[in-house]
Coordinates of all heavy atoms in Angstrom, one line a residue:
M18 N 30.8 31.5 42.4 CA 29.9 30.8 41.6 C 30.1 31.2 40.1 O 30.0 30.3 39.3 CB 28.5 31.1 42.1 CG 27.4 30.5 41.3 SD 27.3 28.8 41.8 CE 25.8 28.4 41.0
L19 N 30.3 32.5 39.9 CA 30.5 32.9 38.5 C 31.8 32.4 37.9 O 31.9 32.2 36.7 CB 30.5 34.4 38.4 CG 29.1 35.1 38.6 CD1 29.2 36.6 38.5 CD2 28.1 34.6 37.5
A20 N 32.8 32.1 38.8 CA 34.1 31.6 38.3 C 33.9 30.2 37.9 O 34.7 29.7 37.0 CB 35.1 31.7 39.5
M21 N 33.0 29.4 38.3 CA 32.8 28.0 37.9 C 31.9 27.9 36.7 O 31.9 26.8 36.1 CB 32.1 27.2 39.1 CG 33.0 27.1 40.3 SD 32.3 26.2 41.6 CE 31.9 24.7 40.9
L22 N 31.2 28.9 36.3 CA 30.3 28.9 35.2 C 31.0 28.5 33.9 O 30.5 27.6 33.1 CB 29.6 30.2 35.0 CG 28.4 30.3 34.0 CD1 27.4 29.2 34.4 CD2 27.8 31.6 34.0
P23 N 32.2 29.0 33.5 CA 32.8 28.6 32.3 C 33.2 27.1 32.3 O 33.2 26.4 31.3 CB 34.1 29.5 32.1 CG 33.8 30.7 33.0 CD 32.8 30.2 34.1
G24 N 33.6 26.6 33.5 CA 34.0 25.2 33.6 C 32.8 24.3 33.4 O 32.9 23.3 32.8
I25 N 31.7 24.7 34.0 CA 30.4 23.9 33.9 C 30.0 23.9 32.4 O 29.6 22.9 31.9 CB 29.4 24.5 34.8 CG1 29.8 24.2 36.3 CG2 28.0 23.8 34.5 CD1 28.8 24.9 37.3
A26 N 30.0 25.1 31.8 CA 29.6 25.2 30.4 C 30.6 24.4 29.5 O 30.1 23.7 28.6 CB 29.6 26.7 29.9
G27 N 31.8 24.4 29.8 CA 32.8 23.6 29.0 C 32.6 22.1 29.2 O 32.6 21.4 28.2
F28 N 32.4 21.7 30.4 CA 32.1 20.3 30.7 C 30.8 19.8 30.0 O 30.8 18.8 29.4 CB 32.1 20.0 32.2 CG 31.8 18.6 32.5 CD1 32.9 17.7 32.5 CD2 30.6 18.2 32.9 CE1 32.7 16.4 32.8 CE2 30.4 16.8 33.2 CZ 31.4 15.9 33.1
S29 N 29.8 20.7 30.1 CA 28.5 20.3 29.5 C 28.7 20.3 27.9 O 28.1 19.4 27.3 CB 27.4 21.4 29.8 OG 27.2 21.4 31.2
G30 N 29.4 21.2 27.4 CA 29.7 21.2 25.9 C 30.4 20.0 25.5 O 30.0 19.4 24.4
V31 N 31.4 19.6 26.2 CA 32.2 18.4 25.9 C 31.3 17.1 26.0 O 31.3 16.3 25.1 CB 33.4 18.2 26.8 CG1 34.1 16.9 26.6 CG2 34.4 19.3 26.5
A32 N 30.4 17.1 27.0 CA 29.5 15.9 27.1 C 28.5 15.9 26.0 O 28.2 14.8 25.4 CB 28.8 16.0 28.5
A33 N 28.0 17.1 25.7 CA 27.0 17.1 24.6 C 27.7 16.8 23.2 O 27.1 16.0 22.4 CB 26.4 18.5 24.5
L34 N 28.9 17.2 23.0 CA 29.6 16.9 21.8 C 29.9 15.4 21.7 O 29.7 14.8 20.6 CB 30.9 17.7 21.7 CG 31.8 17.5 20.4 CD1 31.0 18.0 19.2 CD2 33.1 18.3 20.6
Y35 N 30.3 14.8 22.8 CA 30.5 13.4 22.9 C 29.2 12.6 22.5 O 29.3 11.6 21.7 CB 31.0 13.0 24.2 CG 31.2 11.5 24.4 CD1 32.2 10.8 23.8 CD2 30.2 10.7 25.1 CE1 32.3 9.4 23.9 CE2 30.3 9.4 25.2 CZ 31.4 8.7 24.7 OH 31.5 7.3 24.8
L36 N 28.1 13.0 23.1 CA 26.8 12.3 22.8 C 26.4 12.5 21.4 O 25.9 11.5 20.7 CB 25.7 12.8 23.7 CG 25.9 12.4 25.2 CD1 24.8 13.1 26.0 CD2 25.7 10.9 25.3
I37 N 26.7 13.7 20.8 CA 26.3 13.9 19.4 C 27.2 13.0 18.5 O 26.7 12.4 17.6 CB 26.5 15.4 19.1 CG1 25.3 16.2 19.7 CG2 26.4 15.6 17.6 CD1 25.5 17.7 19.6
I38 N 28.5 13.0 18.8 CA 29.4 12.2 17.9 C 29.0 10.7 18.0 O 29.0 10.0 17.0 CB 30.8 12.4 18.3 CG1 31.2 13.9 17.9 CG2 31.8 11.4 17.7 CD1 32.6 14.3 18.4
T39 N 28.8 10.2 19.2 CA 28.5 8.7 19.3 C 27.1 8.3 18.9 O 26.9 7.2 18.4 CB 28.7 8.3 20.8 OG1 27.9 9.0 21.6 CG2 30.2 8.5 21.2
C40 N 26.1 9.2 19.0 CA 24.8 8.8 18.7 C 24.3 9.3 17.3 O 23.3 8.9 16.9 CB 23.8 9.4 19.8 SG 24.1 8.7 21.4
W41 N 25.0 10.2 16.7 CA 24.6 10.7 15.4 C 24.6 9.6 14.4 O 25.6 9.0 14.1 CB 25.5 11.9 15.0 CG 25.1 12.6 13.8 CD1 25.5 12.4 12.5 CD2 24.1 13.6 13.7 NE1 24.9 13.2 11.7 CE2 24.0 14.0 12.4 CE3 23.3 14.2 14.7 CZ2 23.1 15.0 11.9 CZ3 22.4 15.2 14.2 CH2 22.3 15.6 12.9
K42 N 23.5 9.4 13.8 CA 23.3 8.4 12.8 C 23.7 7.0 13.2 O 24.2 6.2 12.4 CB 24.0 8.8 11.5 CG 23.4 10.0 10.8 CD 24.1 10.2 9.5 CE 23.5 11.5 8.8 NZ 24.1 11.7 7.5
S43 N 23.5 6.7 14.5 CA 23.9 5.4 15.0 C 22.9 4.4 14.5 O 23.2 3.2 14.4 CB 24.1 5.4 16.5 OG 22.8 5.6 17.1
Y44 N 21.6 4.8 14.3 CA 20.6 3.9 13.8 C 20.7 3.8 12.3 O 20.4 4.8 11.6 CB 19.2 4.3 14.3 CG 18.2 3.4 13.6 CD1 18.0 2.1 14.0 CD2 17.4 3.9 12.6 CE1 17.0 1.3 13.4 CE2 16.4 3.1 12.0 CZ 16.3 1.9 12.4 OH 15.3 1.1 11.8
R45 N 21.2 2.7 11.8 CA 21.2 2.5 10.4 C 20.5 1.2 10.1 O 20.9 0.2 10.6 CB 22.7 2.5 9.9 CG 23.4 3.8 10.1 CD 24.8 3.7 9.5 NE 25.5 4.9 9.9 CZ 26.7 5.0 10.4 NH1 27.4 3.9 10.5 NH2 27.2 6.1 10.7
P46 N 19.5 1.2 9.3 CA 18.8 0.0 9.0 C 19.8 -1.0 8.3 O 20.6 -0.6 7.4 CB 17.7 0.3 8.0 CG 17.6 1.8 8.1 CD 18.9 2.4 8.6
Q47 N 19.8 -2.2 8.7 CA 20.7 -3.2 8.2 C 19.9 -4.2 7.4 O 18.8 -4.5 7.6 CB 21.4 -4.0 9.4 CG 22.2 -3.0 10.3 CD 23.4 -2.5 9.6 OE1 24.1 -3.2 8.9 NE2 23.7 -1.2 9.8
H48 N 20.6 -4.8 6.4 CA 20.0 -5.8 5.6 C 20.0 -7.1 6.5 O 20.9 -7.4 7.2 CB 20.8 -6.1 4.3 CG 20.8 -4.9 3.4 ND1 19.7 -4.6 2.7 CD2 21.8 -4.0 3.1 CE1 20.0 -3.5 2.0 NE2 21.3 -3.1 2.2
T49 N 18.9 -7.8 6.3 CA 18.7 -9.0 7.1 C 19.5 -10.2 6.6 O 19.7 -11.2 7.2 CB 17.3 -9.4 7.3 OG1 16.7 -9.6 5.9 CG2 16.5 -8.3 8.0
G50 N 20.0 -10.1 5.4 CA 20.7 -11.2 4.8 C 19.8 -12.1 4.1 O 18.6 -12.1 4.2
G51 N 20.3 -13.0 3.3 CA 19.5 -13.9 2.5 C 19.4 -15.2 3.3 O 20.3 -15.9 3.5
G52 N 18.2 -15.5 3.7 CA 18.0 -16.7 4.4 C 16.8 -17.5 3.8 O 16.5 -17.3 2.6
E53 N 16.3 -18.4 4.5 CA 15.2 -19.2 3.9 C 14.0 -18.3 3.6 O 13.5 -17.6 4.5 CB 14.8 -20.3 5.0 CG 13.7 -21.2 4.5 CD 14.2 -22.3 3.7 OE1 15.4 -22.6 3.8 OE2 13.5 -22.9 2.9
G54 N 13.5 -18.3 2.4 CA 12.4 -17.5 2.0 C 12.7 -16.1 1.6 O 11.8 -15.3 1.4
A55 N 13.9 -15.7 1.6 CA 14.3 -14.3 1.3 C 14.1 -14.1 -0.2 O 14.4 -15.0 -1.0 CB 15.7 -14.0 1.7
L56 N 13.6 -12.9 -0.6 CA 13.3 -12.6 -2.0 C 14.5 -11.8 -2.5 O 14.9 -10.9 -1.9 CB 12.0 -11.9 -2.1 CG 10.7 -12.6 -1.7 CD1 9.5 -11.7 -1.8 CD2 10.5 -13.8 -2.6
P57 N 14.9 -12.1 -3.7 CA 15.9 -11.2 -4.4 C 15.3 -9.9 -4.8 O 14.0 -9.7 -4.8 CB 16.4 -12.0 -5.6 CG 15.5 -13.1 -5.7 CD 14.6 -13.3 -4.5
V58 N 16.1 -8.9 -5.1 CA 15.6 -7.5 -5.3 C 14.7 -7.5 -6.5 O 13.7 -6.8 -6.5 CB 16.9 -6.6 -5.6 CG1 16.4 -5.2 -6.0 CG2 17.7 -6.5 -4.3
W59 N 15.0 -8.3 -7.6 CA 14.2 -8.2 -8.8 C 12.8 -8.8 -8.5 O 11.8 -8.3 -9.1 CB 14.8 -9.0 -9.9 CG 15.0 -10.4 -9.7 CD1 16.1 -11.1 -9.1 CD2 14.1 -11.5 -10.0 NE1 15.8 -12.4 -9.1 CE2 14.6 -12.7 -9.6 CE3 12.8 -11.5 -10.6 CZ2 14.0 -13.9 -9.8 CZ3 12.2 -12.7 -10.8 CH2 12.7 -13.9 -10.4
Q60 N 12.6 -9.7 -7.6 CA 11.3 -10.2 -7.2 C 10.5 -9.1 -6.4 O 9.3 -9.0 -6.6 CB 11.4 -11.5 -6.4 CG 11.7 -12.7 -7.3 CD 11.7 -14.0 -6.5 OE1 12.0 -14.0 -5.3 NE2 11.4 -15.1 -7.1
L61 N 11.2 -8.5 -5.5 CA 10.6 -7.4 -4.7 C 10.1 -6.3 -5.7 O 9.0 -5.7 -5.5 CB 11.5 -6.8 -3.7 CG 11.9 -7.8 -2.6 CD1 13.0 -7.2 -1.7 CD2 10.7 -8.2 -1.7
I62 N 10.9 -5.9 -6.6 CA 10.5 -4.9 -7.6 C 9.3 -5.3 -8.4 O 8.4 -4.5 -8.6 CB 11.7 -4.5 -8.5 CG1 12.8 -3.8 -7.7 CG2 11.3 -3.6 -9.7 CD1 14.1 -3.6 -8.4
A63 N 9.3 -6.5 -8.9 CA 8.2 -7.1 -9.6 C 6.9 -7.1 -8.8 O 5.8 -6.7 -9.2 CB 8.5 -8.5 -10.1
H64 N 7.0 -7.4 -7.5 CA 5.9 -7.4 -6.6 C 5.3 -6.0 -6.4 O 4.1 -5.8 -6.4 CB 6.3 -8.0 -5.2 CG 5.2 -8.1 -4.2 ND1 4.2 -9.0 -4.4 CD2 4.9 -7.5 -3.1 CE1 3.4 -8.9 -3.4 NE2 3.8 -8.0 -2.6
V65 N 6.2 -5.0 -6.2 CA 5.8 -3.6 -6.0 C 5.1 -3.1 -7.3 O 4.0 -2.5 -7.3 CB 7.0 -2.7 -5.7 CG1 6.6 -1.3 -5.7 CG2 7.4 -3.1 -4.3
E66 N 5.6 -3.5 -8.5 CA 5.0 -3.0 -9.7 C 3.6 -3.7 -9.9 O 2.7 -3.0 -10.4 CB 5.9 -3.4 -10.9 CG 7.2 -2.5 -10.9 CD 6.9 -1.1 -11.1 OE1 6.0 -0.7 -11.9 OE2 7.6 -0.3 -10.5
A67 N 3.5 -4.9 -9.5 CA 2.2 -5.6 -9.7 C 1.2 -4.9 -8.7 O 0.0 -4.7 -9.1 CB 2.3 -7.1 -9.3
E68 N 1.6 -4.6 -7.5 CA 0.7 -3.9 -6.6 C 0.3 -2.5 -7.2 O -0.9 -2.1 -7.1 CB 1.3 -3.7 -5.2 CG 1.4 -5.0 -4.4 CD 2.0 -4.7 -3.1 OE1 2.6 -3.7 -2.8 OE2 1.9 -5.7 -2.2
R69 N 1.2 -1.8 -7.8 CA 0.9 -0.5 -8.3 C -0.1 -0.6 -9.5 O -1.0 0.2 -9.6 CB 2.2 0.1 -8.8 CG 2.0 1.5 -9.4 CD 3.3 2.2 -9.8 NE 4.1 2.4 -8.6 CZ 5.4 2.2 -8.5 NH1 6.0 1.9 -9.6 NH2 6.1 2.5 -7.4
R70 N 0.1 -1.6 -10.4 CA -0.8 -1.8 -11.5 C -2.2 -2.2 -10.9 O -3.2 -1.7 -11.4 CB -0.3 -2.9 -12.4 CG 0.8 -2.5 -13.3 CD 1.0 -3.5 -14.4 NE 1.4 -4.8 -13.8 CZ 2.6 -5.2 -13.6 NH1 3.6 -4.4 -13.8 NH2 2.8 -6.4 -13.1
Q71 N -2.3 -3.0 -9.9 CA -3.6 -3.4 -9.3 C -4.2 -2.2 -8.7 O -5.4 -2.0 -8.8 CB -3.4 -4.5 -8.3 CG -4.7 -5.0 -7.8 CD -4.5 -6.1 -6.8 OE1 -3.4 -6.3 -6.3 NE2 -5.6 -6.8 -6.4
R72 N -3.5 -1.3 -8.0 CA -4.0 -0.1 -7.4 C -4.5 0.9 -8.4 O -5.6 1.5 -8.3 CB -3.0 0.5 -6.5 CG -3.5 1.7 -5.7 CD -2.5 2.3 -4.8 NE -1.4 2.8 -5.6 CZ -0.1 2.5 -5.4 NH1 0.2 1.7 -4.4 NH2 0.9 3.0 -6.1
D73 N -3.8 1.0 -9.6 CA -4.2 1.9 -10.6 C -5.5 1.5 -11.3 O -6.2 2.3 -11.9 CB -3.1 2.1 -11.6 CG -1.9 2.8 -11.0 OD1 -2.1 3.5 -10.0 OD2 -0.8 2.8 -11.6
Q74 N -5.8 0.2 -11.3 CA -7.0 -0.3 -11.9 C -8.2 0.2 -11.2 O -9.2 0.5 -11.8 CB -7.0 -1.9 -11.9 CG -6.1 -2.5 -12.9 CD -6.1 -4.0 -12.9 OE1 -6.8 -4.6 -12.0 NE2 -5.3 -4.6 -13.7
G75 N -8.1 0.3 -9.9 CA -9.2 0.9 -9.1 C -10.4 0.0 -9.1 O -10.4 -1.2 -9.4
G76 N -11.6 0.5 -8.7 CA -12.8 -0.2 -8.7 C -13.1 -0.6 -7.3 O -12.3 -0.7 -6.4
R77 N -14.4 -0.9 -7.1 CA -14.8 -1.2 -5.7 C -14.4 -2.6 -5.3 O -14.1 -2.8 -4.1 CB -16.4 -1.2 -5.7 CG -17.0 -1.4 -4.4 CD -18.4 -1.1 -4.5 NE -19.1 -1.7 -3.3 CZ -20.3 -2.0 -3.2 NH1 -21.1 -1.9 -4.3 NH2 -20.8 -2.5 -2.1
H78 N -14.3 -3.6 -6.2 CA -14.0 -4.9 -5.8 C -12.7 -5.4 -6.3 O -12.5 -6.5 -6.7 CB -15.1 -5.9 -6.3 CG -16.4 -5.6 -5.8 ND1 -16.8 -5.8 -4.5 CD2 -17.5 -5.0 -6.3 CE1 -18.0 -5.5 -4.2 NE2 -18.5 -4.9 -5.4
R79 N -11.7 -4.5 -6.3 CA -10.4 -4.8 -6.9 C -9.6 -5.8 -6.0 O -8.7 -6.4 -6.5 CB -9.6 -3.6 -7.1 CG -9.2 -2.9 -5.9 CD -8.4 -1.6 -6.2 NE -8.2 -0.8 -5.1 CZ -7.1 -0.9 -4.3 NH1 -6.2 -1.8 -4.5 NH2 -7.0 -0.1 -3.2
L80 N -10.0 -6.0 -4.8 CA -9.2 -6.9 -3.9 C -9.7 -8.4 -4.1 O -9.0 -9.3 -3.7 CB -9.3 -6.5 -2.5 CG -8.8 -5.1 -2.2 CD1 -9.0 -4.8 -0.7 CD2 -7.3 -5.0 -2.5
R81 N -10.8 -8.6 -4.7 CA -11.3 -9.9 -4.8 C -11.2 -10.4 -6.3 O -11.3 -9.6 -7.2 CB -12.8 -10.0 -4.4 CG -13.0 -10.0 -2.9 CD -14.4 -10.3 -2.6 NE -15.0 -9.1 -2.2 CZ -16.3 -8.9 -2.3 NH1 -17.1 -9.8 -2.7 NH2 -16.8 -7.7 -1.9
E82 N -10.9 -11.7 -6.4 CA -10.9 -12.3 -7.8 C -12.3 -12.4 -8.3 O -13.2 -12.7 -7.5 CB -10.2 -13.6 -7.7 CG -8.8 -13.6 -7.4 CD -8.0 -12.9 -8.5 OE1 -8.3 -13.1 -9.7 OE2 -7.0 -12.2 -8.2
P83 N -12.6 -12.2 -9.6 CA -13.9 -12.4 -10.0 C -14.4 -13.9 -9.9 O -13.6 -14.8 -10.1 CB -13.9 -12.0 -11.5 CG -12.4 -12.0 -11.9 CD -11.7 -11.8 -10.6
Q84 N -15.6 -14.0 -9.4 CA -16.1 -15.4 -9.2 C -16.6 -16.0 -10.5 O -17.3 -15.4 -11.2 CB -17.2 -15.4 -8.1 CG -16.7 -15.0 -6.8 CD -17.8 -15.1 -5.7 OE1 -18.9 -15.3 -6.1 NE2 -17.4 -14.9 -4.5
Q85 N -16.2 -17.2 -10.8 CA -16.6 -17.9 -11.9 C -17.8 -18.8 -11.5 O -17.8 -19.4 -10.5 CB -15.5 -18.8 -12.5 CG -14.3 -18.1 -12.9 CD -14.5 -17.2 -14.1 OE1 -15.4 -17.5 -14.9 NE2 -13.8 -16.1 -14.2
P86 N -18.9 -18.9 -12.4 CA -20.0 -19.7 -12.0 C -19.5 -21.2 -12.1 O -18.6 -21.5 -12.9 CB -21.0 -19.4 -13.1 CG -20.3 -18.8 -14.2 CD -19.1 -18.1 -13.6
P87 N -20.2 -22.0 -11.3 CA -19.8 -23.4 -11.3 C -20.1 -24.1 -12.6 O -21.1 -23.7 -13.3 CB -20.6 -24.1 -10.2 CG -21.7 -23.1 -9.9 CD -21.2 -21.8 -10.3
P88 N -19.3 -25.0 -13.1 CA -19.5 -25.6 -14.4 C -20.8 -26.4 -14.4 O -21.1 -27.1 -13.4 CB -18.3 -26.4 -14.7 CG -17.7 -26.7 -13.3 CD -18.1 -25.5 -12.5
S89 N -21.6 -26.3 -15.4 CA -22.8 -27.0 -15.5 C -22.5 -28.4 -16.0 O -21.8 -28.6 -17.0 CB -23.8 -26.3 -16.4 OG -25.0 -27.0 -16.6
T90 N -23.1 -29.4 -15.4 CA -22.8 -30.8 -15.8 C -23.9 -31.3 -16.7 O -23.7 -32.2 -17.5 CB -22.7 -31.7 -14.6 OG1 -23.9 -31.6 -13.8 CG2 -21.5 -31.4 -13.8
S91 N -25.1 -30.7 -16.7 CA -26.2 -31.2 -17.5 C -26.7 -30.2 -18.5 O -27.8 -30.3 -19.0 CB -27.4 -31.6 -16.6 OG -27.8 -30.4 -15.9
D92 N -25.8 -29.3 -18.9 CA -26.2 -28.3 -19.9 C -27.5 -27.6 -19.6 O -28.4 -27.4 -20.5 CB -26.3 -28.9 -21.3 CG -24.9 -29.5 -21.8 OD1 -23.9 -28.9 -21.4 OD2 -24.9 -30.4 -22.5
D93 N -27.7 -27.2 -18.4 CA -28.8 -26.4 -17.9 C -30.1 -27.1 -18.1 O -31.2 -26.5 -18.3 CB -28.9 -25.0 -18.6 CG -27.7 -24.2 -18.2 OD1 -27.1 -24.3 -17.1 OD2 -27.3 -23.3 -19.0
E94 N -30.1 -28.4 -18.0 CA -31.4 -29.2 -18.1 C -31.9 -29.3 -16.7 O -31.2 -29.6 -15.7 CB -31.2 -30.5 -18.7 CG -30.8 -30.4 -20.2 CD -30.5 -31.8 -20.8 OE1 -30.9 -32.8 -20.1 OE2 -30.0 -31.9 -21.9
A95 N -33.2 -29.2 -16.5 CA -33.9 -29.5 -15.2 C -34.0 -31.0 -15.0 O -34.0 -31.8 -15.9 CB -35.3 -28.9 -15.3
P96 N -33.9 -31.3 -13.7 CA -34.1 -32.8 -13.4 C -35.4 -33.3 -13.9 O -36.4 -32.5 -14.1 CB -34.0 -32.9 -11.9 CG -33.7 -31.5 -11.4 CD -33.8 -30.6 -12.5
S97 N -35.5 -34.6 -14.1 CA -36.8 -35.1 -14.6 C -37.9 -34.9 -13.6 O -37.6 -34.7 -12.4 CB -36.6 -36.6 -14.9 OG -36.4 -37.3 -13.7
L98 N -39.1 -35.1 -14.0 CA -40.3 -34.9 -13.1 C -40.3 -35.9 -12.0 O -40.7 -35.6 -10.9 CB -41.6 -35.0 -13.9 CG -41.8 -33.8 -14.9 CD1 -43.1 -34.0 -15.7 CD2 -41.9 -32.5 -14.1
E99 N -39.9 -37.1 -12.3 CA -39.8 -38.2 -11.2 C -38.8 -37.8 -10.1 O -39.2 -37.9 -8.9 CB -39.4 -39.5 -11.8 CG -39.3 -40.6 -10.9 CD -40.6 -41.0 -10.2 OE1 -41.7 -40.7 -10.7 OE2 -40.5 -41.4 -9.0
V100 N -37.7 -37.2 -10.5 CA -36.7 -36.8 -9.5 C -37.2 -35.6 -8.7 O -37.1 -35.6 -7.4 CB -35.3 -36.5 -10.2 CG1 -34.4 -35.8 -9.2 CG2 -34.7 -37.7 -10.8
Q101 N -37.9 -34.7 -9.4 CA -38.5 -33.5 -8.7 C -39.6 -34.0 -7.7 O -39.7 -33.4 -6.6 CB -39.0 -32.5 -9.7 CG -38.0 -31.8 -10.5 CD -38.6 -30.8 -11.5 OE1 -39.8 -30.5 -11.4 NE2 -37.8 -30.4 -12.4
R102 N -40.4 -35.0 -8.1 CA -41.5 -35.4 -7.2 C -40.9 -36.1 -6.0 O -41.3 -35.9 -4.9 CB -42.4 -36.4 -8.0 CG -43.6 -36.9 -7.2 CD -44.4 -37.9 -8.0 NE -43.6 -39.1 -8.3 CZ -43.2 -40.1 -7.4 NH1 -43.6 -40.0 -6.2 NH2 -42.5 -41.1 -7.8
R103 N -39.8 -36.9 -6.1 CA -39.2 -37.6 -5.0 C -38.6 -36.6 -4.0 O -38.6 -36.7 -2.8 CB -38.2 -38.6 -5.5 CG -38.8 -39.9 -6.0 CD -37.8 -40.9 -6.2 NE -37.1 -40.7 -7.4 CZ -36.0 -41.3 -7.8 NH1 -35.4 -42.2 -7.0 NH2 -35.4 -41.0 -9.0
I104 N -38.0 -35.5 -4.6 CA -37.4 -34.5 -3.7 C -38.4 -33.8 -3.0 O -38.3 -33.5 -1.8 CB -36.5 -33.5 -4.6 CG1 -35.3 -34.2 -5.2 CG2 -36.1 -32.3 -3.8 CD1 -34.5 -33.4 -6.1
L105 N -39.5 -33.4 -3.6 CA -40.7 -32.7 -3.0 C -41.2 -33.6 -1.8 O -41.5 -33.1 -0.7 CB -41.7 -32.4 -4.0 CG -42.9 -31.6 -3.4 CD1 -42.5 -30.3 -2.8 CD2 -44.0 -31.4 -4.5
E106 N -41.4 -34.9 -2.1 CA -41.9 -35.8 -1.0 C -41.0 -35.9 0.2 O -41.4 -35.9 1.3 CB -42.2 -37.2 -1.6 CG -43.3 -37.3 -2.6 CD -43.5 -38.6 -3.2 OE1 -42.6 -39.5 -3.0 OE2 -44.4 -38.8 -4.0
A107 N -39.7 -35.9 -0.1 CA -38.7 -36.0 1.0 C -38.7 -34.7 1.8 O -38.6 -34.7 3.0 CB -37.3 -36.2 0.4
L108 N -38.9 -33.6 1.1 CA -38.9 -32.3 1.8 C -40.2 -32.2 2.7 O -40.2 -31.6 3.8 CB -38.8 -31.1 0.9 CG -37.4 -30.9 0.2 CD1 -37.5 -29.8 -0.8 CD2 -36.4 -30.5 1.3
Q109 N -41.3 -32.7 2.2 CA -42.5 -32.7 2.9 C -42.5 -33.6 4.2 O -43.1 -33.3 5.2 CB -43.7 -33.1 2.0 CG -44.0 -32.0 1.0 CD -45.1 -32.4 0.0 OE1 -45.5 -33.6 0.0 NE2 -45.6 -31.5 -0.7
R110 N -41.7 -34.7 4.1 CA -41.6 -35.5 5.3 C -40.7 -34.9 6.4 O -40.8 -35.3 7.5 CB -40.9 -36.9 4.8 CG -41.9 -37.8 4.2 CD -41.3 -39.1 3.9 NE -40.8 -39.0 2.5 CZ -39.8 -39.7 2.0 NH1 -39.1 -40.5 2.8 NH2 -39.5 -39.5 0.8
L111 N -39.9 -33.9 6.1 CA -39.1 -33.3 7.1 C -39.9 -32.4 7.9 O -40.6 -32.1 8.6 CB -38.0 -32.4 6.4 CG -36.9 -33.1 5.7 CD1 -36.0 -32.1 5.0 CD2 -36.1 -33.9 6.7

């Protein structure tokens, strides 16, 4: 049994060396290539820089755009009394 130990160790060493050589750094990320909708490098860099600037601004509501009030069509004038009276009557009929 002891006479076979160096042979077993040698065979195991060769098998381990083979696996290390074939599997070492075998996973290498590959470029997907330029296809439909692919962004060039300069656009990706600009996108990352814009995200960094937005993150540096901070604030609680930094992910939402500020809401603009709806444009006023009547320069903040109230409806006439006749219109208000008709609206009130319609609401009371409901």
Side-chain angles (χ1 to χ4, degrees):
M18 178 78 171
L19 288 176
M21 294 179 59
L22 190 59
I25 293 172
F28 182 77
S29 299
V31 169
L34 184 62
Y35 174 76
L36 289 174
I37 288 173
I38 289 172
T39 57
C40 296
W41 187 261
K42 293 187 179 179
S43 65
Y44 172 74
R45 294 183 189 134
Q47 301 293 320
H48 296 286
T49 59
E53 184 80 23
L56 297 176
V58 174
W59 64 271
Q60 284 182 332
L61 293 172
I62 292 172
H64 184 70
V65 168
E66 290 298 324
E68 285 181 350
R69 182 177 295 138
R70 282 192 301 272
Q71 186 179 12
R72 185 178 61 234
D73 291 342
Q74 287 177 357
R77 183 172 165 207
H78 299 288
R79 67 182 170 90
L80 298 177
R81 283 192 255 157
E82 293 291 326
Q84 293 182 352
Q85 299 292 331
S89 176
T90 57
S91 63
D92 297 328
D93 295 331
E94 293 179 11
S97 68
L98 291 176
E99 177 63 28
V100 172
Q101 290 181 12
R102 184 184 59 76
R103 283 191 281 167
I104 292 173
L105 181 61
E106 288 174 358
L108 288 174
Q109 288 174 348
R110 279 185 267 150
L111 291 176

